[in-house]
Amino acid sequence: MSIKKYAVAIRDVIQQEMSRDENVFVMGEDIAGQGGIFGCTRGLLEEFGEERVRNTPISEACFIGAGVGASLTGMRPIIELMYMDFTYVAMDQILNQAAKIRYMYGGKATLPLVIRGQQGIGRGNAGTHSQSVEAFFTHIPGLKVAMPSTPADAAGLLRTAIRDNNPIMFFEHKALYASSGEVSDDPNFAIPFGKASVMREGTDATVIATSLMVSRALEAAEKLAEGSIDVEVIDPRTILPLDIETIVESVKKTGRALVVHEAHRTMGIGAEIAAEVTQRAFVYLDAPVARLGAKACTLPFSLVLENAVVPGVDDIIEGIRKICYK
Amino acid sequence: MSIKKYAVAIRDVIQQEMSRDENVFVMGEDIAGQGGIFGCTRGLLEEFGEERVRNTPISEACFIGAGVGASLTGMRPIIELMYMDFTYVAMDQILNQAAKIRYMYGGKATLPLVIRGQQGIGRGNAGTHSQSVEAFFTHIPGLKVAMPSTPADAAGLLRTAIRDNNPIMFFEHKALYASSGEVSDDPNFAIPFGKASVMREGTDATVIATSLMVSRALEAAEKLAEGSIDVEVIDPRTILPLDIETIVESVKKTGRALVVHEAHRTMGIGAEIAAEVTQRAFVYLDAPVARLGAKACTLPFSLVLENAVVPGVDDIIEGIRKICYK
Amino acid sequence: MDKKRLQSIYETMLTIRYFEDKALSLFEENQLRGSVHLCTGQEAVAATVCSHLRDEDYITSTHRGHGHCIAKGAEPDKAMAELMGKAAGYCQGRGGSMHIADVTKGNLGANAIVGAGLPIAAGAALSAKLRKTDQVAVAFFGDGASNEGVFHEALNLASVWKLPIIFVCENNQFGISTHVSKSTSVQDIAVRAKAYDIPGEVVDGNDVFSIDEAIKRAIKRAKAGEGPSLIECKTYRWYGHWIGDPQVYRTKEDVESWKKKCPIKRLETYFLENKIMTQQELTVMHNKAVEVIDAAADFAISSSDPDPAFVLDNVYCE
Amino acid sequence: MDKKRLQSIYETMLTIRYFEDKALSLFEENQLRGSVHLCTGQEAVAATVCSHLRDEDYITSTHRGHGHCIAKGAEPDKAMAELMGKAAGYCQGRGGSMHIADVTKGNLGANAIVGAGLPIAAGAALSAKLRKTDQVAVAFFGDGASNEGVFHEALNLASVWKLPIIFVCENNQFGISTHVSKSTSVQDIAVRAKAYDIPGEVVDGNDVFSIDEAIKRAIKRAKAGEGPSLIECKTYRWYGHWIGDPQVYRTKEDVESWKKKCPIKRLETYFLENKIMTQQELTVMHNKAVEVIDAAADFAISSSDPDPAFVLDNVYCE
Ligand SMILES: Cc1ncc(C[n+]2csc(CCOP(=O)(O)OP(=O)(O)O)c2C)c(N)n1
Ligand SMILES: Cc1ncc(C[n+]2csc(CCOP(=O)(O)OP(=O)(O)O)c2C)c(N)n1
Ligand SMILES: [Mg+2]
Ligand SMILES: [Mg+2]
């Protein structure tokens, strides 16, 4: 075990997988000399050279498409998008090509491809650079979607992603890069997709939280523990596949659930989780499954406004109280 | 009243609005001489000339962006996308620009813009040309989203859309273009957004269905009426704004609800509707709100397979029986 | 060009021609459905370009892709079965005409999204470069596609990275109903090569010899590590954009005048004038092609539909 | 160029220069946050181009947009307030540096998405054409943006439709840390004009006279209904890509050598050599600009934050 920052955990896994498998390579904007604007590819150019650590032109649709072509033909590309918001200029290559090719070709194509990058609030980047866009990639079948909330999960899930033979969307969070935690030194340490992590056990209510919201949910849970509400906090870690069983088991125990994500509440993955949990645990529910997410406006630049839009610890506390009728 | 085909109803409204307001113009691929591949702009070139009826290059991101620029500066563009699947190559202009500009500019910009076109199954167009993509446009705030299921709704909602001062996503359905129905001749006939249409009244269960699924839901309801299950069928007509009140009122009456759409079940708008209905009508529910949508695979080319993927009348019947425990 | 290559190009063109005719008649008999884009009249491009490619070389194709598919080595029976959505088709009926692929033969797929194949081909070329093979990639695309953003991005990327790729534009003068002059700011799309500092040339797309010269040069350049080339083949499609196109945008005379420039006839004339093949030999080849295609159609018709029980298979690779 | 215009360009450049300096110091004092991209060193382009535009003419700008904003008539106080996310800012604190706009003055907005302004500007030009005004639109963008697909699509569309638009590329040689030679397949981006059959020219982006000549020609052409032009202004940014950039990709010497080519100094030398203005007059103008910017900063600092109670306002137009 070592204590590592989230960004370093990511970098180290990429480095190890590139050493292990010469078909793995990375490309993206400013990832070579600069090591990525968040340092997730730092040092790789020096170690692996310009062929395998490629700065791209500002042409996201093309370099994601090139990732599709390279992966179809035997390579295992890791593509960094500087901001996951930029998926919008490359949506066709992600949703129509990467996600669908294997199926449309009757299973006769394999696409090992990781598209990774950061998203979310925390740097005052305003409406086009602070979004949480993961939900889009769960609606069209064919992709897998991870969103680690800790350095260990970032490392373990990324290794799984790189070794997986499917196209993966890997959502990091800009406000988590500097967070630290223990990470296994085992060069094969991997966390399977589709296994939620119970971050805190509790008996009164279940909070399902993702990415940056996990720490806020934990903080809310600690505060409520003082007031004698005992909250279970679950981080699904991958939202596709989604470990609905673990969530449902927890809700059967607690009878109450709140989903919290930073993405907009409307049509965020909280909707899917709420609908599915209700379907499977209906008779156990003491309250409707509640949802918290960003309010229905663009993320504003002003910090005061941003804080009013995205769920904070107090909002989560209030949300839990509500489903507990307390 | 006249009997009109859905495609003709659309064409007529565009024609009338172009006559009424010289700032309204249309652009898109093959919409001029050819009148659109589904005839929705037929005859407009002859009447209004090439300036206001513009064939575009195959550059969707650009001509949608041009629509944003034109609407910001006083025009009221109507843009035809030949297939709404092509939104994927223009997502940034839709989600980051059209949807956000007014808000990001502190309310000091107005964007009257309609992006319309058809989607869905029915012509053997396979995975990249048969999708139902409406859900994407409800997650990012700033757009309104309509999906008419009848010629009258197509006419009434499109007129509202053209006169609205916001960017609108208008989803027609390729398999509905040839369907006929009564349409008002009133040149101001308009249907407000956010008002659901109760297509059939019933007391035992509520089915919320959109677009092509509305007729299937009605057929299912008729069949079940024979077996003494009395189904209410609601078409929300616009999914953003969503007339949640009408839906919730119905569910409070029936105690049971099934949402049916052609888009994939996972993260389709059924998830949002189910979660929200449960939130608001929890104590009235005799069963969890159920959802039907396309299965979790790309839409296959083969008709046999396509039919297995998208909800059919029998699936809806089965879905209703399930929530009625019958 | 040596006789063997010429004959093989000729045979490929015939196979494509009869394949398309058969697809058309099956469509008219309601045995086949969907958006079917025939490449009749354009056969020379696919046949000649692919005659220089090995199985390990890559192509990406378009919605008008039957010709590329056959020229890159597809068996007509499995191709026709795919057009009919049958289980025995290349994609087990999941892809259809617009998404037909055979990755094992280097055909990375038809692509129903205009322009979308170009970055994918660039990626295949990058893959070849990274794996240090001498493979090349060819991206086929239409005149209309040259106005999509990814055209620009792919040519720039390929040039900057000196990828072993050839961009082959089949300029058949129309994107659906829109004449190229109404959508495209240059008369010759090949001129756009200047924007990427790569060679661009215009060739007669109905003449196998011109295409042959150009593709040879481009492949040589690609293999030498000098980067991409852009070849624009001027040609014409005889039928509508898709089966069912009312074709209001052009006259019968135009179509007829282009039929006179038939690439197959043209090669036959060359064969006869240069006494490379006799009329009888040509007839034998025609008959053989007809047979192959008839057999393909029989195969496709008699194949079974895919079993819906397995419809959810192959979304993911296990 | 007449003296009045020159002085006004000079004044604009000074305002931009001091505005950027102030933004930097406010950032360093933690009064300002976010991604802030300074255009110091590039002032001549915005100032000269916009000196030819009226309020009713349109521009679209970029993430590096303060200069365009000021040159197009923004009041520095509301601009600075927006950078600080204050209620009195142009966008009421909702947009920030990367999304600042003033539609009433024809500034259709900075744009944080590289390249995204180009189609929007084309749309504004189309709007002018449809409304039969003599308005023109200018799209500012960087060298890096010229590799985005929308660059290609917008130039093609504008050319085919003969839109009254000028595409002004500020080639400051880098997209973040990536030198233009590593991302862009041509040495001069202006060459890409050939791909759209429009005029393309390279000018010294630190020389107001060269820019002036080019923009005049382009505006004349636009107003004559002859369509778009592409102008590439070679220039350099003095500071990092954004505030906080470690700038590992260039040397101090490079930066210093470009500082010697300061567009403001250059114009001052011209003024003095040609006895258009005296050193004293220049100093007066400097002082005036400093005063304006100091006042703007004071205004911004003392303005209040937006009220979160209204955070959901203005998502839609009622
Ligand atoms: C992104 C996208 N836009 C539009 C279409 C609809 N469409 C299909 S084929 C076509 C015309 C393509 O023209 P061209 O590239 O010249 O190829 P051709 O059909 O002439 O072979 C269009 C507009 C599409 N499939 N994808
Ligand atoms: C679509 C998109 N891709 C990437 C980025 C990240 N990014 C912001 S500025 C920039 C560099 C732009 O370079 P250039 O166009 O030359 O403008 P400059 O910063 O030099 O003024 C990049 C890559 C972005 N904002 N949008
Ligand atoms: Mg064509
Ligand atoms: Mg630059």
Side-chain angles (χ1 to χ4, degrees):
Chain A
M1 287 286 182
S2 312
I3 302 283
K4 279 184 192 175
K5 291 203 166 139
Y6 185 100
V8 175
I10 287 164
R11 194 216 80 93
D12 287 355
V13 170
I14 298 176
Q15 185 275 331
Q16 289 160 4
E17 294 302 303
M18 287 184 73
S19 301
R20 181 179 162 270
D21 181 348
E22 63 179 11
N23 291 324
V24 176
F25 72 101
V26 289
M27 57 179 164
E29 289 155 11
D30 304 287
I31 63 152
Q34 172 119 346
I37 63 167
F38 295 95
C40 294
T41 53
R42 200 164 286 159
L44 299 180
L45 175 68
E46 292 72 8
E47 182 169 352
F48 300 106
E50 335 196 283
E51 282 292 291
R52 291 177 66 198
V53 183
R54 308 185 79 89
N55 270 352
T56 59
I58 312 177
S59 312
E60 292 82 2
C62 181
F63 65 75
I64 290 186
V68 171
S71 86
L72 267 177
T73 55
M75 300 301 292
R76 307 184 75 85
I78 304 175
I79 297 176
E80 173 168 309
L81 271 182
M82 193 179 278
Y83 285 75
M84 290 303 257
D85 311 67
F86 306 158
T87 50
Y88 291 179
V89 296
M91 222 43 145
D92 180 69
Q93 288 293 336
I94 302 172
L95 296 180
N96 269 336
Q97 314 299 332
K100 297 196 171 106
I101 278 178
R102 179 180 177 79
Y103 185 84
M104 290 201 305
Y105 293 5
K108 294 182 200 145
T110 308
L111 270 106
L113 172 66
V114 178
I115 299 173
R116 53 158 290 275
Q118 57 75 36
Q119 61 172 9
I121 58 163
R123 289 175 65 100
N125 291 155
T128 57
H129 282 58
S130 307
Q131 299 167 88
S132 294
V133 301
E134 68 278 1
F136 293 123
F137 306 95
T138 61
H139 186 41
I140 299 301
L143 303 166
K144 297 184 181 179
V145 183
M147 33 193 329
S149 70
T150 67
D153 285 356
L157 293 170
L158 184 56
R159 182 167 284 107
T160 301
I162 297 171
R163 296 187 185 179
D164 196 293
N165 282 327
N166 295 286
I168 315 272
M169 301 298 295
F170 198 88
F171 291 93
E172 300 155 17
H173 197 294
K174 56 170 82 59
L176 291 175
Y177 279 138
S179 66
S180 292
E182 290 221 316
V183 180
S184 165
D185 295 319
D186 178 353
N188 288 310
F189 167 67
I191 296 172
F193 276 34
K195 269 203 75 56
S197 162
V198 180
M199 303 292 283
R200 183 186 195 286
E201 295 196 7
T203 52
D204 296 333
T206 304
V207 173
I208 302 102
T210 57
S211 196
L212 185 65
M213 293 296 124
V214 175
S215 59
R216 296 190 181 181
L218 288 170
E219 200 180 323
E222 288 312 317
K223 292 208 171 140
L224 285 167
E226 295 160 19
S228 83
I229 302 182
D230 186 18
V231 177
E232 181 143 311
V233 177
I234 298 180
D235 174 0
R237 301 200 286 200
T238 59
I239 56 169
L240 187 68
L242 177 71
D243 182 0
I244 191 73
E245 288 78 18
T246 299
I247 298 169
V248 166
E249 278 319 302
S250 171
V251 177
K252 284 185 179 169
K253 177 177 72 177
T254 61
R256 299 156 200 283
L258 169 71
V259 195
V260 188
H261 51 61
E262 190 182 317
H264 292 291
R265 180 182 188 276
T266 305
M267 281 304 293
I269 55 136
E272 180 67 29
I273 294 176
E276 204 55 28
V277 166
T278 308
Q279 186 68 47
R280 300 186 189 210
F282 188 60
V283 297
Y284 297 86
L285 287 174
D286 296 319
V289 179
R291 299 181 286 148
L292 274 178
K295 292 201 171 74
C297 64
T298 296
L299 288 159
F301 169 70
S302 144
L303 192 57
V304 182
L305 295 183
E306 188 184 89
N307 283 335
V309 169
V310 168
V313 175
D314 289 343
D315 300 310
I316 301 173
I317 290 175
E318 194 191 314
I320 297 169
R321 280 193 193 287
K322 244 191 216 157
I323 54 172
C324 294
Y325 304 115
K326 284 195 181 165
Chain B
M1 287 286 181
S2 310
I3 302 283
K4 279 183 192 175
K5 292 204 165 138
Y6 185 99
V8 175
I10 287 164
R11 195 216 78 95
D12 288 355
V13 169
I14 299 176
Q15 186 276 331
Q16 289 160 5
E17 294 302 304
M18 287 184 73
S19 301
R20 181 178 163 271
D21 182 348
E22 62 178 12
N23 291 324
V24 176
F25 73 100
V26 289
M27 56 180 166
E29 289 156 10
D30 304 285
I31 63 151
Q34 172 119 346
I37 64 166
F38 295 96
C40 294
T41 53
R42 200 164 286 159
L44 299 180
L45 175 67
E46 293 73 8
E47 183 170 350
F48 300 106
E50 341 195 277
E51 283 292 290
R52 290 178 67 199
V53 183
R54 308 185 80 88
N55 271 352
T56 59
I58 312 177
S59 312
E60 291 83 3
C62 181
F63 65 76
I64 290 186
V68 170
S71 87
L72 266 177
T73 55
M75 300 300 293
R76 308 184 74 84
I78 304 175
I79 296 176
E80 173 169 307
L81 270 183
M82 193 178 278
Y83 285 75
M84 290 303 257
D85 311 67
F86 306 159
T87 50
Y88 291 178
V89 296
M91 221 43 145
D92 180 70
Q93 289 294 335
I94 302 172
L95 295 181
N96 268 336
Q97 314 299 332
K100 298 195 171 105
I101 279 180
R102 179 179 177 78
Y103 186 84
M104 290 201 305
Y105 293 6
K108 294 181 198 146
T110 308
L111 270 108
L113 171 66
V114 178
I115 299 173
R116 54 158 289 277
Q118 55 76 36
Q119 62 172 7
I121 58 163
R123 288 174 66 99
N125 291 156
T128 57
H129 281 60
S130 307
Q131 299 168 88
S132 294
V133 300
E134 68 277 1
F136 293 123
F137 306 95
T138 62
H139 186 41
I140 299 302
L143 303 167
K144 296 184 180 178
V145 183
M147 33 191 332
S149 69
T150 67
D153 285 356
L157 292 170
L158 184 56
R159 182 167 284 106
T160 301
I162 297 171
R163 295 187 186 179
D164 196 293
N165 281 326
N166 294 287
I168 313 271
M169 301 299 294
F170 198 88
F171 290 93
E172 300 155 17
H173 198 293
K174 56 169 83 58
L176 290 175
Y177 278 137
S179 65
S180 291
E182 290 220 315
V183 180
S184 165
D185 296 321
D186 177 354
N188 288 309
F189 167 67
I191 296 171
F193 276 34
K195 269 202 75 57
S197 162
V198 179
M199 303 293 283
R200 184 186 195 285
E201 296 196 9
T203 52
D204 296 333
T206 304
V207 173
I208 302 102
T210 56
S211 195
L212 185 66
M213 292 297 123
V214 175
S215 59
R216 296 191 180 181
L218 288 169
E219 200 180 323
E222 288 312 317
K223 291 213 171 136
L224 285 168
E226 295 161 20
S228 83
I229 301 182
D230 185 17
V231 177
E232 181 144 311
V233 177
I234 298 181
D235 174 1
R237 301 199 285 200
T238 60
I239 56 169
L240 186 68
L242 177 71
D243 182 0
I244 191 75
E245 287 78 18
T246 298
I247 297 170
V248 166
E249 278 320 302
S250 171
V251 177
K252 283 184 179 169
K253 177 176 74 177
T254 62
R256 299 158 201 282
L258 169 72
V259 195
V260 188
H261 51 62
E262 188 181 318
H264 293 291
R265 179 181 188 277
T266 304
M267 282 303 293
I269 55 136
E272 180 68 27
I273 295 175
E276 205 55 27
V277 166
T278 307
Q279 186 69 48
R280 299 184 189 211
F282 187 60
V283 297
Y284 298 87
L285 286 175
D286 296 319
V289 179
R291 298 181 286 149
L292 274 178
K295 293 202 170 74
C297 64
T298 296
L299 289 159
F301 169 69
S302 145
L303 192 56
V304 182
L305 296 183
E306 188 183 270
N307 284 336
V309 169
V310 168
V313 175
D314 288 343
D315 300 310
I316 301 174
I317 290 175
E318 195 191 314
I320 298 170
R321 281 194 192 287
K322 243 189 218 159
I323 54 172
C324 294
Y325 304 115
K326 282 191 183 168
Chain C
M1 221 185 319
D2 68 51
K3 186 177 156 184
K4 229 179 106 196
R5 181 187 300 281
L6 268 180
Q7 281 176 329
S8 136
I9 292 173
Y10 177 64
E11 189 185 351
T12 305
M13 291 201 291
L14 288 176
T15 310
I16 299 171
R17 175 69 54 94
Y18 288 113
F19 185 92
E20 297 297 60
D21 284 349
K22 183 61 77 179
L24 178 58
S25 63
L26 288 171
F27 195 100
E28 286 167 347
E29 292 161 20
N30 277 319
Q31 301 236 39
L32 205 153
R33 64 195 271 275
S35 293
V36 180
H37 306 83
L38 304 176
C39 69
T40 307
Q42 305 184 186
E43 298 89 346
V45 183
T48 311
V49 167
C50 292
S51 79
H52 286 278
L53 304 180
R54 304 151 300 177
D55 280 359
E56 62 266 34
D57 294 319
Y58 302 113
I59 66 163
T60 61
S61 166
T62 69
H63 57 286
R64 197 176 305 289
H66 308 162
H68 311 136
C69 185
I70 288 169
K72 195 67 179 54
E75 290 158 36
D77 53 355
K78 289 196 223 166
M80 194 62 87
E82 189 55 37
L83 262 62
M84 294 184 67
K86 298 300 183 74
Y90 270 108
C91 308
Q92 307 180 337
R94 273 124 179 105
S97 162
M98 292 201 291
H99 305 103
I100 198 166
D102 182 9
V103 175
T104 59
K105 280 271 167 68
N107 178 0
L108 304 181
N111 204 312
I113 300 299
V114 169
L118 278 77
I120 297 175
L126 170 61
S127 170
K129 184 165 194 253
L130 288 172
R131 288 182 285 103
K132 300 192 177 59
T133 69
D134 72 342
Q135 294 163 287
V136 299
V138 171
F140 290 103
F141 60 100
D143 46 292
S146 81
N147 298 320
E148 279 286 0
V150 282
F151 162 89
H152 175 66
E153 296 185 1
L155 270 78
N156 180 60
L157 187 92
S159 172
V160 173
W161 288 356
K162 296 210 180 303
L163 300 180
I165 183 169
I166 301 103
F167 295 98
V168 176
C169 178
E170 294 175 287
N171 183 347
N172 62 8
Q173 304 180 41
F174 289 93
I176 307 190
S177 73
T178 305
H179 191 261
V180 62
S181 61
K182 297 280 184 180
S183 64
T184 311
S185 47
V186 282
Q187 221 178 350
D188 293 329
I189 289 162
V191 166
R192 294 189 165 167
K194 294 209 174 97
Y196 314 102
D197 197 19
I198 61 171
E201 67 181 295
V202 178
V203 303
D204 178 340
N206 286 14
D207 175 37
V208 296
F209 298 96
S210 315
I211 303 167
D212 190 73
E213 288 300 318
I215 188 73
K216 273 196 309 215
R217 268 193 294 278
I219 290 177
K220 198 170 154 211
R221 177 175 148 86
K223 291 195 179 173
E226 291 163 12
S229 306
L230 172 60
I231 302 173
E232 177 185 4
C233 306
K234 305 268 194 194
T235 182
Y236 201 79
R237 59 167 157 75
W238 290 10
Y239 296 122
H241 170 70
W242 42 31
I243 305 181
D245 178 356
Q247 299 180 62
V248 294
Y249 50 84
R250 62 181 189 182
T251 62
K252 282 224 169 69
E253 291 71 48
D254 275 357
V255 179
E256 287 314 316
S257 79
W258 272 95
K259 282 192 179 170
K260 295 210 181 87
K261 301 182 201 160
C262 172
I264 294 176
K265 278 265 157 58
R266 191 146 154 189
L267 188 53
E268 287 173 351
T269 307
Y270 174 86
F271 281 151
L272 295 174
E273 277 177 0
N274 293 276
K275 307 217 178 347
I276 297 171
M277 302 233 278
T278 65
Q279 183 60 54
Q280 212 177 346
E281 285 171 317
L282 297 179
T283 308
V284 169
M285 288 188 75
H286 270 265
N287 293 343
K288 201 182 123 204
V290 170
E291 248 171 60
V292 167
I293 297 301
D294 282 347
D298 289 345
F299 171 83
I301 292 168
S302 62
S303 303
S304 51
D305 279 328
D307 183 347
F310 303 111
V311 72
L312 287 173
D313 285 4
N314 286 318
V315 174
Y316 293 104
C317 171
E318 297 310 317
Chain D
M1 221 187 317
D2 67 54
K3 184 177 157 182
K4 231 180 103 196
R5 179 186 301 281
L6 267 180
Q7 281 177 330
S8 135
I9 291 173
Y10 178 64
E11 189 186 350
T12 305
M13 290 201 292
L14 288 176
T15 310
I16 298 171
R17 174 70 54 96
Y18 288 114
F19 185 92
E20 297 296 60
D21 284 349
K22 183 61 78 178
L24 178 58
S25 63
L26 288 172
F27 194 100
E28 286 168 346
E29 292 160 19
N30 275 320
Q31 302 236 40
L32 205 153
R33 63 194 271 275
S35 294
V36 180
H37 306 83
L38 305 176
C39 70
T40 307
Q42 305 184 187
E43 299 89 346
V45 183
T48 312
V49 167
C50 293
S51 79
H52 287 277
L53 303 180
R54 305 151 301 176
D55 280 358
E56 62 265 34
D57 294 319
Y58 302 113
I59 67 162
T60 60
S61 167
T62 69
H63 57 286
R64 198 175 305 288
H66 308 161
H68 311 135
C69 184
I70 289 169
K72 194 70 179 56
E75 290 160 35
D77 52 355
K78 289 197 223 165
M80 194 62 86
E82 188 55 37
L83 261 63
M84 293 183 68
K86 297 300 182 74
Y90 270 107
C91 309
Q92 306 178 339
R94 272 122 178 107
S97 162
M98 292 202 290
H99 305 102
I100 198 165
D102 183 9
V103 174
T104 59
K105 280 271 168 69
N107 177 1
L108 303 182
N111 204 312
I113 300 299
V114 169
L118 279 77
I120 297 175
L126 170 61
S127 171
K129 185 167 193 252
L130 289 171
R131 289 182 283 104
K132 299 191 178 58
T133 69
D134 72 340
Q135 293 162 288
V136 300
V138 170
F140 291 103
F141 59 99
D143 46 292
S146 82
N147 298 320
E148 278 286 0
V150 284
F151 162 89
H152 175 65
E153 296 186 1
L155 270 78
N156 180 61
L157 187 92
S159 173
V160 173
W161 288 358
K162 296 209 180 304
L163 300 180
I165 183 169
I166 301 101
F167 295 99
V168 176
C169 178
E170 293 175 288
N171 183 347
N172 62 10
Q173 306 180 39
F174 289 93
I176 308 190
S177 73
T178 305
H179 191 261
V180 63
S181 61
K182 297 280 184 179
S183 65
T184 310
S185 46
V186 283
Q187 220 179 350
D188 293 329
I189 290 162
V191 166
R192 293 190 165 168
K194 295 211 173 96
Y196 314 103
D197 197 20
I198 61 171
E201 66 181 298
V202 177
V203 304
D204 178 339
N206 286 13
D207 176 36
V208 297
F209 297 95
S210 317
I211 303 167
D212 190 72
E213 288 300 318
I215 189 73
K216 273 197 309 215
R217 270 193 294 277
I219 290 177
K220 200 171 152 209
R221 177 176 147 87
K223 291 197 177 173
E226 291 162 12
S229 306
L230 172 60
I231 302 173
E232 176 185 5
C233 306
K234 305 268 194 193
T235 182
Y236 200 81
R237 58 169 158 75
W238 290 11
Y239 296 124
H241 169 71
W242 43 29
I243 305 180
D245 178 357
Q247 299 180 63
V248 293
Y249 49 84
R250 62 182 188 181
T251 62
K252 282 223 169 71
E253 291 71 48
D254 275 357
V255 179
E256 287 313 313
S257 79
W258 273 94
K259 283 192 177 169
K260 296 212 181 84
K261 301 182 201 160
C262 173
I264 295 177
K265 278 266 159 57
R266 191 148 153 188
L267 188 54
E268 286 174 351
T269 307
Y270 174 86
F271 282 151
L272 295 175
E273 279 177 0
N274 294 277
K275 307 216 178 348
I276 297 171
M277 304 233 275
T278 65
Q279 183 60 56
Q280 212 179 348
E281 285 171 317
L282 296 178
T283 307
V284 169
M285 288 189 72
H286 271 265
N287 292 342
K288 201 183 121 203
V290 170
E291 249 172 59
V292 167
I293 296 301
D294 283 347
D298 290 344
F299 171 84
I301 292 168
S302 63
S303 301
S304 52
D305 279 327
D307 183 348
F310 303 109
V311 74
L312 287 173
D313 284 5
N314 286 318
V315 175
Y316 294 104
C317 172
E318 296 311 315

